[in-house]
Amino acid sequence: VLSELSPEVRTRLIDDLWALTGGVLLVVEPGTPKGWERILSARERLIAQGAHLLAPCPHHLPCPIKDPDWCHFSRRVARSRLHRLSKQAEVPWEDEKFIYLAASRHAGLPAEARILAPPRTSKGRIDLKLCLADGALQERTVSKRDGALFKTARRRDWGEIL
C-alpha cells in the first residue's frame, strides 16, 4: 500500500510499523523503479532507527545501484483458470517482479553477496551481477576452474545469497 500513500504518511507508517515490530519487519513492493524508490526510502528510515538488514541488502551502506537500473526480483506464479480468463492470457503462469526489504531487531547471519540479476550461463562459466557486503556492485565471472565456487554458483538463482 505504500504506493497509495503520500511520502509523509509513508514515513509515519514505516516508523509505526517498526515501533510495533518485535522481530522482523518485511516490506514488499512491486518490482518497478518507483517501488524500488519506496523501498530505498523505507531502508534509509529503518537503518536510521537501528534496524539490522537481513535481505536483500548484504550491507547497511548506501545502495550502489544507480538509475536507470533498479533492484528487483522475479518469481513465477501459477495462474488460476479464472485469472487466465480475466487477463485473456494463454499461459498458465506469470512472472511477478517485486522488491522487498527484511529488517530485524537482531543481527542476522552475514551475507557475502546477493545475486541481483538472472545468472547468465554458458559452457564452463557463469556471469553474475552481485551486491557485495562492502557496499559495492560487481559483475563476476565464475568458471569451472573456481571449483567449489562454480558448483555453488551453478545452483544459485536471482535473489539468492552467494
Side-chain angles (χ1 to χ4, degrees):
V1 298
L2 294 180
S3 64
E4 299 175 17
L5 304 173
S6 70
E8 301 80 31
V9 174
R10 262 187 248 146
T11 299
R12 214 170 43 245
L13 176 64
I14 293 296
D15 290 347
D16 291 347
L17 289 172
W18 184 243
L20 294 169
T21 299
V24 176
L25 174 62
L26 181 65
V27 182
V28 181
E29 281 286 301
T32 63
K34 292 291 185 190
W36 180 59
E37 288 175 13
R38 290 187 293 272
I39 288 291
L40 283 179
S41 176
R43 179 185 188 271
E44 291 170 9
R45 192 79 186 167
L46 291 167
I47 289 171
Q49 294 182 43
H52 299 276
L53 299 183
L54 300 180
C57 307
H59 58 82
H60 288 70
L61 301 168
C63 182
I65 301 174
K66 302 296 178 215
D67 194 32
D69 197 7
W70 73 95
C71 183
H72 65 286
F73 306 97
S74 180
R75 284 293 174 247
R76 187 154 284 176
V77 179
R79 289 177 171 158
S80 67
R81 182 178 182 284
L82 181 59
H83 189 193
R84 279 196 316 272
L85 290 173
S86 68
K87 286 196 161 190
Q88 298 176 348
E90 299 289 324
V91 295
W93 49 264
E94 183 172 359
D95 289 331
E96 282 292 331
K97 291 183 172 76
F98 65 96
I99 179 63
Y100 72 102
L101 180 67
S104 175
R105 295 258 178 219
H106 313 285
L109 297 174
E112 185 178 319
R114 177 138 344 240
I115 302 171
L116 293 184
R120 296 175 309 278
T121 59
S122 59
K123 188 171 181 166
R125 67 183 263 176
I126 304 167
D127 294 316
L128 301 168
K129 180 179 179 182
L130 303 171
C131 184
L132 304 176
D134 66 3
L137 199 58
Q138 180 185 68
E139 295 282 338
R140 182 169 181 183
T141 299
V142 179
S143 70
K144 278 188 173 180
R145 287 183 226 151
D146 294 315
L149 180 59
F150 180 77
K151 288 179 182 177
T152 299
R154 233 182 17 201
R155 291 187 296 272
R156 297 291 189 255
D157 198 3
W158 187 8
E160 293 183 9
I161 291 174
L162 180 67

